[in-house]
Amino acid sequence: MRHARVISFSNLPSFPVDSENISIITTPSGFYDKLTHSIKNARRRILLSALYIGGSQTHLVSLIESSLETNPQLQVTILLDAIRGTRKSESSVDLLNNIIKRYPERCGVYFYRSPHWFGFLPERYREVIGLMHCKISIFDNDLLLTGANLNSEYFATRQDRYIYISKCDKLCEWYHGLLDRLCSLSFRVRAISEPPTKPDVDKQPLQSPKDSVQLVPGSVDPVKTPRKFRKIARKLISEYINNPQSDRDEHPGTSDTTVYPLVQIGPLGIREEERWLRGYLQDSETRNELWMTTGYFNISDEVRRGLVASQRPVNVLTASPIANGFYKSKGFSKFIPGLYRYLEERFYQQTQACKRITLSEYFRSSQDGKPWTYHAKGIWVFNRHSAMTVVGSSNFGLRSTGRDVEAQAIIVTRSQALRSALQNEVDALWKYSQKVNSKTFQDQYQMRSPLGWLLVRLCAKTKFLASMF
């Protein structure tokens, strides 16, 4: 199957894997079971990267601590976002405090901070400027790719995507190398009882929620020297992902599936996902039906034009306002579902004449009547003999491309079994969808408030503000 011209993949790292080692997990509870099972069985390394670890996840952290206690050779690395992960109301530092103290040499906890100045904003609203958003987990030589965070909702009633690849040592090493470099640019959590490692350690640019730990800058401080940080970070990450020695298999062609890692870090000018997607959509020879989903609908005009011009059937699925994670939120964030609905309506109007594009909304009720929230993101393309999917943290929107640290993977397979599993994944997500039509937008969700109406349109029509959502 010609999924794209050779040029669309030629500059990306590539790792052949066996499709029998790839599992598609379809439920939040299945994600949690796989995550905990993998933590329990890891012997050499555990790497977890996520936006944050929820304050209620004491069981998850206790499993990590137990694995450290029973496996003397185990090394644990945890990479989170510095702003979201240190919220006073729900601090990941508080949660990880004990293992940081007990295993300072074997457990490294890092917080990446975007090189933007935003000290004037209230604590929670600083998160709109930029986040470390990639969700990658490594357990020895097994890899878990997802868009889900490590919090109770994501293990119960918040739908996302989860792909587990076992026995993929070279692929794991590549993502390990990426995370190592991000960690070297991040703040490390250090117990005060440890000896100082920097002469200015007492000048903490981030205030830790616990007095017993400090957040120590990495190789360069993104707060004090953001321009220098961008320069060094861009060089470090770019040289790594463009290194041809890191992405060649010794026996090409012997596997039925290939994984291509993608990295997108807009603030550093690293735009691999954006370039790949543009090239793929512009490939006039590829007209297979495309399925695309995002929990937060804010795709760029370039992507919209690419979908229209691609001459292929396109199915887009996004969260209904009630399935949005900000539904019934407090403060300004209560208007966010209305903002996405407005952007969705604008997309519908701009593509209505294109009969090949179908837009749908996700809505699902649980047994107690409470609606599920929708956080899945991805792309799928199928034909008779093969399939392709894109899985990871990116929502394919202005924020993902311009502000956050994102990690994705393109999986291309000739395996009929894996192709069927991916098709079943699509069917399971679209099962709870309803096609959008002109009547969908007549309720003007959360637009009754004049303030909400004004804020939503101001954000939607101003690219700088729209890129924050």
Side-chain angles (χ1 to χ4, degrees):
M1 177 181 183
R2 283 182 52 85
H3 278 291
R5 297 175 187 234
V6 175
I7 193 172
S8 296
F9 292 98
S10 60
N11 295 324
L12 298 177
S14 59
F15 298 88
V17 297
D18 191 333
S19 62
E20 293 181 357
N21 295 328
I22 300 179
S23 301
I24 311 297
I25 303 168
T26 58
T27 64
S29 59
F31 166 53
Y32 182 75
D33 291 343
K34 194 67 173 180
L35 183 67
T36 54
H37 174 81
S38 299
I39 291 172
K40 291 176 184 177
N41 287 277
R43 297 294 179 264
R44 184 166 57 89
R45 62 179 171 184
I46 295 175
L47 290 90
L48 302 174
S49 69
L51 184 60
Y52 67 103
I53 301 178
S56 63
Q57 295 308 305
T58 54
H59 177 62
L60 195 68
V61 175
S62 68
L63 288 178
I64 297 173
E65 188 170 6
S66 177
S67 290
L68 282 164
E69 186 174 349
T70 56
N71 299 289
Q73 303 303 315
L74 182 65
Q75 295 287 329
V76 175
T77 301
I78 300 172
L79 174 63
L80 307 171
D81 180 73
I83 302 302
R84 181 63 181 88
T86 58
R87 272 190 191 176
K88 293 178 182 178
S89 60
E90 189 181 32
S91 169
S92 300
V93 176
D94 292 357
L95 192 67
L96 298 166
N97 188 40
N98 194 48
I99 59 173
I100 293 169
K101 290 181 179 179
R102 285 191 64 187
Y103 302 100
E105 303 300 323
R106 294 170 52 212
C107 181
V109 179
Y110 300 85
F111 289 88
Y112 181 94
R113 182 160 175 171
S114 182
H116 292 288
W117 184 75
F118 40 66
F120 65 93
L121 291 172
E123 180 189 42
R124 185 176 180 185
Y125 295 100
R126 296 176 190 176
E127 298 167 20
V128 304
I129 303 299
L131 297 169
M132 202 299 299
H133 197 243
C134 50
K135 289 80 181 264
I136 303 165
S137 297
I138 299 172
F139 312 97
D140 294 339
N141 289 328
D142 296 351
L143 176 70
L144 176 59
L145 296 167
T146 183
N149 290 305
L150 304 178
N151 197 15
S152 55
E153 265 194 306
Y154 293 89
F155 303 144
T157 57
R158 179 165 290 187
Q159 183 66 55
D160 214 300
R161 296 185 67 206
Y162 334 87
I163 294 185
Y164 195 91
I165 309 175
S166 59
K167 301 177 183 178
C168 56
D169 54 335
K170 291 186 178 181
L171 184 58
C172 286
E173 288 300 328
W174 193 91
Y175 278 109
H176 191 156
L178 175 65
L179 294 180
D180 272 350
R181 284 156 178 79
L182 289 173
C183 287
S184 74
L185 298 165
S186 303
F187 294 89
R188 179 166 184 172
V189 182
R190 181 179 65 81
I192 284 179
S193 58
E194 294 180 54
T197 57
K198 290 182 178 290
D200 62 341
V201 72
D202 58 323
K203 300 177 183 179
Q204 299 176 52
L206 288 176
Q207 183 62 45
S208 62
K210 285 283 188 182
D211 294 335
S212 56
V213 297
Q214 293 174 318
L215 300 179
V216 183
S219 58
V220 57
D221 194 321
V223 179
K224 297 178 181 178
T225 56
R227 184 174 298 179
K228 181 180 178 182
F229 177 90
R230 289 189 186 94
K231 182 178 179 180
I232 292 176
R234 179 176 181 174
K235 184 174 186 293
L236 181 68
I237 302 300
S238 294
E239 287 183 351
Y240 180 71
I241 63 179
N242 293 321
N243 176 14
Q245 300 303 315
S246 67
D247 58 15
R248 296 295 178 254
D249 188 75
E250 296 175 357
H251 306 288
T254 60
S255 301
D256 59 5
T257 302
T258 304
V259 179
Y260 302 88
L262 276 177
V263 178
Q264 180 84 10
I265 311 177
L268 303 184
I270 298 172
R271 299 179 173 274
E272 297 300 312
E273 174 203 297
E274 194 174 354
R275 280 194 287 267
W276 174 83
L277 184 56
R278 182 192 308 123
Y280 186 80
L281 292 177
Q282 290 176 349
D283 180 11
S284 60
E285 295 183 23
T286 305
R287 300 190 179 185
N288 303 97
E289 187 170 10
L290 183 144
W291 305 75
M292 182 179 188
T293 190
T294 172
Y296 303 123
F297 192 87
N298 188 16
I299 64 173
S300 67
D301 288 340
E302 184 179 42
V303 172
R304 175 184 56 79
R305 288 192 294 267
L307 293 174
V308 172
S310 65
Q311 300 301 310
R312 69 169 85 227
V314 175
N315 306 278
V316 179
L317 176 63
T318 190
S320 66
I322 296 176
N324 188 289
F326 293 97
Y327 179 64
K328 291 188 176 180
S329 186
K330 297 179 180 179
F332 172 78
S333 57
K334 70 182 179 182
F335 298 118
I336 292 179
L339 170 62
Y340 288 123
R341 169 59 79 82
Y342 177 76
L343 293 169
E344 179 190 340
E345 180 182 9
R346 193 166 67 177
F347 175 84
Y348 175 78
Q349 292 172 343
Q350 292 169 338
T351 61
Q352 192 172 14
C354 182
K355 302 301 182 182
R356 295 174 293 97
I357 298 179
T358 301
L359 179 62
S360 302
E361 287 186 346
Y362 181 98
F363 176 79
R364 178 181 180 183
S365 292
S366 61
Q367 291 182 348
D368 60 3
K370 183 180 179 181
W372 281 45
T373 50
Y374 190 71
H375 200 252
K377 63 278 293 181
I379 294 173
W380 301 259
V381 181
F382 302 94
N383 84 347
R384 185 182 303 175
H385 303 295
S386 59
M388 181 194 77
T389 189
V390 182
V391 62
S393 61
S394 175
N395 282 289
F396 311 109
L398 293 176
R399 181 186 178 94
S400 293
T401 57
R403 294 193 173 275
D404 293 343
V405 179
E406 306 284 10
Q408 301 273 85
I410 307 168
I411 302 175
V412 180
T413 184
R414 301 187 307 272
S415 164
Q416 288 301 300
L418 181 55
R419 182 196 180 285
S420 296
L422 289 169
Q423 183 65 68
N424 290 340
E425 182 187 30
V426 169
D427 294 342
L429 294 175
W430 263 260
K431 174 183 177 181
Y432 298 100
S433 72
Q434 184 172 359
K435 289 183 180 180
V436 165
N437 56 46
S438 58
K439 294 182 180 179
T440 304
F441 308 105
Q442 291 179 0
D443 61 0
Q444 291 293 298
Y445 175 80
Q446 288 197 355
M447 297 295 181
R448 298 183 182 90
S449 162
L451 176 61
W453 186 94
L454 177 64
L455 289 173
V456 163
R457 278 157 178 76
L458 178 64
C459 290
K461 294 180 181 297
T462 307
K463 189 172 182 179
F464 174 75
L465 294 176
S467 70
M468 297 181 180
F469 300 94

